[in-house]
Amino acid sequence: AQTVTQSQPEMSVQEAETVTLSCTYDTSESDYYLFWYKQPPSRQMILVIRQEAYKQQNATENRFSVNFQKAAKSFSLKISDSQLGDAAMYFCAYRHGAKAGANNLFFGTGTRLTVIP
Amino acid sequence: EPEVTQTPSHQVTQMGQEVILRCVPISNHLYFYWYRQILGQKVEFLVSFYNNEISEKSEIFDDQFSVERPDGSNFTLKIRSTKLEDSAMYFCASRPPTGLALSGELFFGEGSRLTVL
């Protein structure tokens, strides 16, 4: 089974500063997708950003960007200009590419981000 | 904006009792999932469901578990005889038809917390 590792159980950042959350994964596949999901307290997980493995360009969504290092199997999330509303649990997730039965996501254990006013 | 909804938000049950967790996926979605998260551990895939049958399941999803889509809107997870180790947060998720899937993005509910005493 694929493994996704988030080595930072907790992180904190000053409001308006930048923070990077780490994620590494293990796979023998060449075609796959990577995601960062955000789970605010008592709310559902929502997709923050996704990356297709075949794309070399790092994905960007407003203040959120990733550093995708395919050879190193690393997929970190950078949050710029952090806001109080960014405080949440962040999960890194992996999904196989277009192969039969590739339905499910493999999640990391999450990183709890605190934003300090 | 459409959301995946789950009920109950929290259920406490005695060991050995049957539990049914309910989910209403987003209406035009075709793929449905159950995940669980034991406290302090990673989110784990249980089962996926498509076209009224299970498409994939994990080793966690043993004979004690079953899923059903009884009426075209609800998607339920039943645990026949709960064990202490079934205590977890259970997340339902859904995904739109493949053409709209945005590389496998899942839409999650807020979760149902199950406590087995």
Side-chain angles (χ1 to χ4, degrees):
Chain A
Q2 268 59 35
T3 56
V4 178
T5 303
Q6 292 179 251
S7 59
Q8 305 154 317
E10 295 183 348
M11 290 282 284
S12 61
V13 62
Q14 206 76 34
E15 196 175 2
E17 296 296 310
T18 295
V19 65
T20 298
L21 308 184
S22 301
C23 173
T24 58
Y25 57 94
D26 182 31
T27 184
S28 58
E29 305 290 327
S30 59
D31 181 23
Y32 52 89
Y33 302 97
L34 296 164
F35 306 85
W36 279 97
Y37 277 86
K38 169 186 177 182
Q39 186 183 33
S42 302
R43 296 290 300 160
Q44 62 264 62
M45 278 190 282
I46 54 174
L47 181 67
V48 173
I49 198 166
R50 74 180 188 283
Q51 174 82 42
E52 293 90 340
Y54 64 84
K55 288 186 177 178
Q56 293 187 341
Q57 187 173 8
N58 289 327
T60 299
E61 288 287 340
N62 301 314
R63 297 182 296 107
F64 298 86
S65 61
V66 298
N67 183 4
F68 173 48
Q69 302 285 330
K70 192 170 184 179
K73 297 179 182 174
S74 169
F75 182 61
S76 60
L77 174 69
K78 186 171 82 170
I79 306 173
S80 304
D81 186 25
S82 298
Q83 300 174 1
L84 294 178
D86 295 334
M89 184 72 97
Y90 286 81
F91 293 98
C92 179
Y94 166 101
R95 178 183 179 266
H96 289 306
K99 78 175 194 182
N103 261 311
N104 51 311
L105 295 177
F106 296 90
F107 284 90
T109 49
T111 297
R112 184 172 300 283
L113 179 66
T114 301
V115 181
I116 303 166
Chain B
E1 187 172 332
E3 288 186 340
V4 176
T5 58
Q6 290 186 239
T7 54
S9 56
H10 188 193
Q11 181 158 355
V12 181
T13 190
Q14 295 290 325
M15 190 170 58
Q17 295 296 304
E18 177 182 283
V19 160
I20 297 176
L21 305 179
R22 291 182 168 79
C23 169
V24 179
I26 296 172
S27 63
N28 67 333
H29 287 191
L30 299 181
Y31 301 84
F32 314 112
Y33 306 81
W34 282 101
Y35 286 79
R36 80 171 185 190
Q37 184 182 27
I38 295 171
L39 187 64
Q41 300 184 23
K42 59 178 63 179
V43 177
E44 300 173 293
F45 168 75
L46 292 179
V47 65
S48 59
F49 192 86
Y50 171 70
N51 200 26
N52 285 319
E53 62 183 22
I54 291 173
S55 51
E56 195 171 356
K57 62 182 181 179
S58 72
E59 58 188 24
I60 302 169
F61 194 86
D62 61 21
D63 292 344
Q64 292 298 310
F65 292 89
S66 62
V67 289
E68 198 176 35
R69 189 158 160 79
D71 56 13
S73 62
N74 289 284
F75 178 53
T76 61
L77 174 69
K78 182 194 292 187
I79 308 174
R80 288 189 184 77
S81 178
T82 50
K83 303 187 287 286
L84 295 177
E85 54 265 37
D86 293 328
S87 295
M89 182 73 92
Y90 288 81
F91 294 102
C92 175
S94 68
R95 181 161 71 93
T98 306
L100 303 175
L102 291 179
S103 306
E105 176 184 357
L106 300 188
F107 293 78
F108 285 86
E110 292 186 8
S112 293
R113 182 172 296 285
L114 176 65
T115 301
V116 182
L117 302 178

